[in-house]
Amino acid sequence: LIFLNPLSGATVLTLILATVFLIIGLFRLSVALTFFRNNWRWVLHFIGGLISVALGVYIILNWPVSSLWIIGLIVALELLFNGWQLVWISLAVKKLQS
């Protein structure tokens, strides 16, 4: 489908991406609630869940138009964060070897 009609493929992938964000966000919110009951570190899970749910809702509300740019933005952010993660890991390994 993506090769035959890239625009339709992008819209379907964007809708799937929004659904995944909603599911992950709701899961993170439930984990934060469980951690809150046990007096454990729950704030980061709660904030991450809220951001995921908000992003999923935003994508769905702007769905036909957001399919033109959201996939590229998510891939770019993923590459950026993975790059920074690799930099920090390499600095930590270098510090351990010294």
Side-chain angles (χ1 to χ4, degrees):
L1 177 67
I2 293 174
F3 290 121
L4 297 176
N5 193 353
L7 188 60
S8 295
T11 56
V12 170
L13 285 176
T14 303
L15 192 59
I16 291 171
L17 185 67
T19 306
V20 167
F21 276 129
L22 285 174
I23 291 170
I24 288 173
L26 292 174
F27 178 73
R28 285 183 180 171
L29 289 175
S30 67
V31 167
L33 182 64
T34 304
F35 286 170
F36 177 73
R37 289 181 187 159
N38 295 330
N39 292 327
W40 207 66
R41 299 177 181 166
W42 60 276
V43 176
L44 290 177
H45 293 284
F46 184 76
I47 292 171
L50 283 179
I51 291 172
S52 294
V53 168
L55 189 57
V57 169
Y58 178 76
I59 292 171
I60 288 175
L61 290 178
N62 298 315
W63 175 53
V65 176
S66 66
S67 62
L68 299 173
W69 58 270
I70 197 70
I71 294 174
L73 177 69
I74 298 299
V75 170
L77 288 174
E78 178 69 22
L79 290 173
L80 182 70
F81 287 128
N82 279 338
W84 278 109
Q85 181 183 10
L86 290 173
V87 167
W88 286 109
I89 288 172
S90 65
L91 289 174
V93 168
K94 184 178 178 182
K95 187 177 180 180
L96 287 174
Q97 290 177 349
S98 296

